[in-house]
Amino acid sequence: MADEQTGAPPDGEHGAERNARIGLILFFVYLALYGGFMALSVLKRSVLAEAVAGVNVAILYGVGLIVAALALALVYMVLCREPGDKGPGA
Amino acid sequence: MNYESSRIAVVIFFAFVGSVLGLSFYLGKRAKSAQGYFAAHGQIHWFVNGVAFAGDYLSAASFLGICGMIATSGYDGFLYSIGFLAGWIVALFVIAEPLKSLGKYTFADALDSRFHSRGIKLAAGISALVVSIFYLIPQMSGAGSLITPLLGFDHTVGVLLVGVTVTLIVVTAGMVSTTWVQFIKGSMLVFFCAILTLMILNRGYRTDPGTPEMPFHVFQVRAEGEVAAQEGWTRLPEEGAWKGQPYVRMKEEKTGRITTWKRVDEKFVGQVQAEAPPAGVPMLAEAQTIFIDKDKKKFVNGLPQGKDADLYPVGHIARLPGGKTETGPLGPAEFFSTLDASTVILWSKQTIEDESGKTAVYVQNPTPGHELLLPGGGKFKGLREEGFTWAKVDFLSLMLALFCGTASLPHILIRYYTVKDRAAARKSTIVGIGSIGFFYILTVFLGLGAMTSGTLDFTDYNMSAPLLAKRFGELPFAIISAIAFTTVLGTVSGLIMAASGAVAHDIMANYMGIQMNDTEKVRAGKAVAVVVGIVAMALGIVFKSFNVGFLVGWAFNIAASANLPALVMLLFWKGTTKQGITVSILVGMISSLAWVMVSAETFEGVYGYTKAEAAKATLVPFGQPGIVTIPLGFLVLIVVSLLTRKTGTAAAIKARMDAGATGA
């Protein structure tokens, strides 16, 4: 509820702000990866056709995007500080 | 195609579905309050909730639609997997946590908690309802497709069966039981698809994918002279609508069977066989036909469709690298590199119409494997061209909508409220991303496996995954079908929950101001669930011919256009006003819905136009609205917010309320 934004303990507020900032940074990292894939598909499709270790770049990039999503999510979980973890639930 | 049911498949299927339903009823008995019915008491463990996220998300569309799409257009189907998963990044990094601290039951609550505006309640409630119904259509249609090969029923019967079962589940249970259904089904889906993938890799590729239990009809390419000289066959004259068409038709005198052959050039022959034909010899490739006469009677290859006269299943590799006929077991990398160097037979359709009826001719279409492993191999062919094409815009639009859509889906957002705090919501999401991501990687193997296993039915590609399992025996087929069916049940029940929550809570209680106690609220929710169920069944039947994954893509477009601008701006722009939110939700929803309704795909698939007529009739240059309607939602929100800044922002409302409090 709205009171959580104004009435949270300073510690919790700090943690939430920090988490939000980390989230946005990681979001833009992923956006760059995803945008890169879209740009290659539209502008330089020939790059996607090249083979690296027997498999073409398109497959590697596509699977890479899926793996990257999980990797970034794990990074996020590790970086997030959560004073509310042990506290009472929202 | 017509299918016969197999007893063992049916037994396993019902045992599986029955035990999941039993569990759901058992757990559902424990949830009685409104909080329990709509949000599972906020007490579900994060791991269970995370796998349930996967269960919700890996719907009939992910499983049936993506496999079908990869099986028919290769990498262009895999784009959906990539985009669907990428959407989780938006959900986790941008929306998840702020939202958890804003809301109680639904997406509308979260939007409304700042403003207390009836307009927002109504707009958000309607949008949740529209998106849920649009997302329900492919689930229902997918269920119909699933029932057909398994039990031998018609598509319509399948849709009705699922609709009734699910509506029953929702009415008797609630969020606790749907969470458990999703958990069980989510784990089983990922596990069994992994096993199926191992079976595909272990078998490798074969030019004749048939097995003794399930032989494959190998489609031929022969010299015209040879075909014409077959004993007991006469050549049909090329008259009427067939005049000037590239086909040779032969009729068997004894049975009346008609084989249709397409004239092909040297390039075609070079793609499918190693040795070139002698120069100047006209060559033909075997085709298949479905003729539908004036009375809607169906004839397959000249004979009334039935047990002995039906379409041959398709999907095979014409040439493997090095002239081999089979590869033996393959590693994941070899699986791709081998296909890259092979030629695959896809199928395309041409319609020939005259006074007697309509003939659909399905012809072989040899496609180099390396094209199928790139974006633009199937649906988005325009990506291959230099310079600007509408297909490129369509592609970008799809990728944008999938990216933005996940965070905007009402039935995904509702799951944030079923765990106890932000940390638990975050952990759930990560478990969800892990399971879903792994599954989506498997979809490539399943899809390409289906493309080359000789089991595809080109009148309904949604069945690709279960039919692929059939190649490996009745048991895998029964298990995969049962899981897919439970998938549909789970997803549909989650969606109906979200829709009934939207109507009972947002529209009836909050907007219309109907006073209801807990019991009445639950009763109202259940009544709405029944109505939504019926609407979804009807639409599921109408949209039968569509790939279900494609339909889900549309639902994502609508969800993203209606909900994302409001969500993002509410969380990140202080100047957002209640009028801005209300108008952006309505404009985003209506514009994307209208776009979909006048697109070429709808003209062809729903209104029954031919491809050429649809291309002419359509009012929009490409099918995916997101690239236009999502920015439109943002724009409208900003403009309206700026115009109504004085009265509509949260700060202004708070100031007014404070002033009121002082005055009193």
Side-chain angles (χ1 to χ4, degrees):
Chain A
M1 301 277 120
D3 57 354
E4 178 145 341
Q5 293 179 341
T6 51
D11 214 23
E13 183 71 355
H14 181 74
E17 259 175 30
R18 187 171 169 277
N19 291 354
R21 205 182 60 238
I22 296 170
L24 279 183
I25 293 171
L26 293 175
F27 168 74
F28 283 110
V29 170
Y30 194 81
L31 186 64
L33 292 174
Y34 192 75
F37 175 77
M38 288 162 70
L40 279 182
S41 303
V42 172
L43 302 172
K44 270 244 163 261
R45 192 166 167 269
S46 57
V47 175
L48 294 177
E50 275 167 32
V52 177
V55 181
N56 77 14
V57 176
I59 293 282
L60 292 175
Y61 205 147
V63 172
L65 279 173
I66 291 176
V67 175
L70 181 63
L72 289 178
L74 286 171
V75 169
Y76 183 58
M77 188 166 77
V78 171
L79 290 181
C80 276
R81 210 176 283 152
E82 191 60 61
D85 253 347
K86 293 182 192 95
Chain B
M1 267 189 234
N2 291 332
Y3 294 89
E4 278 181 84
S5 64
S6 102
R7 195 166 298 160
I8 163 168
V10 173
V11 169
I12 294 172
F13 176 81
F14 279 108
F16 188 93
V17 175
S19 48
V20 173
L21 288 189
L23 188 69
S24 143
F25 287 137
Y26 169 74
L27 293 164
K29 272 193 188 156
R30 306 199 311 209
K32 286 285 173 263
S33 68
Q35 169 85 20
Y37 182 77
F38 290 116
H41 307 279
Q43 285 305 333
I44 288 176
H45 189 267
W46 57 265
F47 183 80
V48 174
N49 202 55
V51 179
F53 259 135
D56 267 335
Y57 203 66
L58 299 178
S59 60
S62 298
F63 182 53
L64 303 174
I66 294 181
C67 287
M69 229 174 323
I70 296 177
T72 51
S73 58
Y75 202 105
D76 285 356
F78 185 47
L79 291 174
Y80 280 81
S81 292
I82 296 172
F84 282 144
L85 192 83
W88 281 91
I89 290 294
V90 183
L92 175 65
F93 292 160
V94 186
I95 308 289
E97 301 205 22
L99 194 72
K100 168 78 183 162
S101 60
L102 283 178
K104 200 176 167 197
Y105 288 145
T106 64
F107 164 62
D109 276 340
L111 276 182
D112 184 51
S113 62
R114 276 255 190 91
F115 299 107
H116 308 288
S117 146
R118 289 175 70 212
I120 292 187
K121 286 180 186 119
L122 183 66
I126 295 177
S127 112
L129 187 65
V130 167
V131 173
S132 299
I133 288 183
F134 226 86
Y135 202 89
L136 273 167
I137 299 171
Q139 315 300 337
M140 290 291 189
S141 178
S145 295
L146 208 56
I147 289 292
T148 313
L150 189 76
L151 305 180
F153 292 149
D154 194 52
H155 181 269
T156 310
V157 179
V159 171
L160 294 176
L161 203 67
V162 174
V164 171
T165 318
V166 168
T167 311
L168 265 179
I169 298 182
V170 175
V171 169
T172 47
M175 199 65 190
V176 176
S177 61
T178 59
T179 303
W180 281 99
V181 170
Q182 296 299 46
F183 171 75
I184 298 169
K185 166 228 122 173
S187 352
M188 302 209 55
L189 181 64
V190 175
F191 179 72
F192 280 102
C193 284
I195 292 192
L196 193 55
T197 302
L198 290 177
M199 290 166 108
I200 294 168
L201 291 175
N202 186 47
R203 182 201 58 186
Y205 295 116
R206 293 180 187 161
T207 49
D208 176 358
T211 53
E213 300 81 44
M214 209 179 154
F216 177 70
H217 174 88
V218 181
F219 297 93
Q220 303 178 30
V221 175
R222 297 170 72 179
E224 183 169 340
E226 253 178 72
V227 172
Q230 293 170 98
E231 209 163 302
W233 293 74
T234 41
R235 186 171 179 159
L236 294 174
E238 293 175 35
E239 336 165 293
W242 292 91
K243 200 169 176 183
Q245 300 287 354
Y247 300 109
V248 169
R249 292 186 304 151
M250 302 293 298
K251 183 170 187 174
E252 191 174 27
E253 282 144 21
K254 209 164 66 192
T255 60
R257 194 157 75 93
I258 298 172
T259 54
T260 305
W261 299 77
K262 185 176 184 193
R263 296 197 177 90
V264 292
D265 55 14
E266 278 163 32
K267 186 174 161 238
F268 182 109
V269 179
Q271 279 179 300
V272 299
Q273 59 188 44
E275 65 280 8
V281 174
M283 297 291 286
L284 300 175
E286 193 177 352
Q288 304 199 67
T289 57
I290 304 177
F291 172 69
I292 302 175
D293 72 7
K294 282 259 140 63
D295 308 322
K296 300 268 173 207
K297 266 181 77 182
K298 271 189 191 174
F299 296 83
V300 172
N301 297 330
L303 299 176
Q305 186 175 27
K307 208 173 142 204
D308 302 316
D310 210 339
L311 292 166
Y312 298 113
V314 301
H316 72 290
I317 290 187
R319 275 180 81 179
L320 280 167
K324 279 191 268 186
T325 56
E326 62 181 291
T327 60
L330 294 170
E334 288 171 297
F335 184 78
F336 294 117
S337 57
T338 308
L339 187 70
D340 201 276
S342 305
T343 303
V344 181
I345 300 295
L346 300 182
W347 290 75
S348 40
K349 176 180 154 185
Q350 195 202 342
T351 311
I352 292 179
E353 202 171 353
D354 58 21
E355 314 80 57
S356 59
K358 217 187 217 178
T359 309
V361 187
Y362 295 89
V363 296
Q364 300 185 53
N365 181 13
T367 311
H370 65 86
E371 275 300 341
L372 291 168
L373 294 177
L374 285 176
K379 233 183 133 26
F380 297 108
K381 286 209 171 70
L383 287 178
R384 296 185 201 176
E385 289 160 38
E386 292 290 318
F388 177 86
T389 58
W390 283 116
K392 289 185 180 177
V393 184
D394 203 22
F395 160 81
L396 293 174
S397 189
L398 172 73
M399 296 311 277
L400 179 72
L402 298 183
F403 193 52
C404 299
T406 301
S408 324
L409 287 176
H411 75 292
I412 294 296
L413 290 175
I414 204 174
R415 240 178 226 301
Y416 283 115
Y417 311 119
T418 57
V419 286
K420 73 180 197 315
D421 55 26
R422 292 168 163 211
R426 197 160 54 226
K427 283 187 232 165
S428 288
T429 316
I430 289 163
V431 173
I433 291 182
S435 335
I436 296 166
F438 179 61
F439 177 80
Y440 280 156
I441 293 176
L442 297 181
T443 57
V444 195
F445 295 96
L446 298 179
L448 295 177
M451 180 189 269
T452 54
S453 290
T455 51
L456 292 175
D457 171 356
F458 47 48
T459 58
D460 190 349
Y461 283 115
N462 294 324
M463 288 187 224
S464 304
L467 290 175
L468 164 70
K470 202 167 188 174
R471 171 60 71 208
F472 295 97
E474 288 294 333
L475 186 67
F477 171 61
I479 293 176
I480 291 289
S481 300
I483 294 173
F485 191 78
T486 335
T487 300
V488 175
L489 293 186
T491 312
V492 171
S493 53
L495 283 164
I496 293 186
M497 284 298 305
S500 72
V503 176
H505 186 72
D506 303 332
I507 299 180
M508 290 169 72
N510 290 347
Y511 178 73
M512 292 156 76
I514 301 172
Q515 295 293 326
M516 290 185 282
N517 62 27
D518 265 12
T519 325
E520 286 165 344
K521 227 183 221 177
V522 170
R523 200 178 300 148
K526 288 178 177 178
V528 175
V530 173
V531 176
V532 172
I534 292 171
V535 172
M537 281 184 249
L539 291 172
I541 294 167
V542 173
F543 280 85
K544 180 197 171 195
S545 70
F546 280 83
N547 176 295
V548 294
F550 181 78
L551 289 176
V552 169
W554 267 349
F556 271 59
N557 271 286
I558 297 171
S561 308
N563 299 345
L564 193 81
L567 263 174
V568 168
M569 297 309 270
L570 174 81
L571 297 174
F572 296 100
W573 188 41
K574 287 205 172 62
T576 308
T577 66
K578 60 179 182 185
Q579 293 90 339
I581 287 187
T582 311
V583 177
S584 90
I585 291 177
L586 292 176
V587 168
M589 177 182 72
I590 293 167
S591 61
S592 53
L593 198 58
W595 187 294
V596 162
M597 288 305 151
V598 298
S599 69
E601 285 85 351
T602 307
F603 273 105
E604 194 186 342
V606 180
Y607 311 143
Y609 287 53
T610 66
K611 207 177 184 87
E613 286 166 0
K616 226 181 266 173
T618 177
L619 305 175
V620 288
F622 51 94
Q624 307 282 346
I627 206 166
V628 175
T629 52
I630 297 171
L632 180 69
F634 276 103
L635 186 72
V636 166
L637 190 148
I638 293 171
V639 170
V640 173
S641 289
L642 289 176
L643 292 175
T644 55
R645 195 156 39 172
K646 284 208 178 92
T647 56
T649 61
I653 292 172
K654 189 167 184 302
R656 218 169 38 240
M657 283 166 73
D658 286 350
T662 326

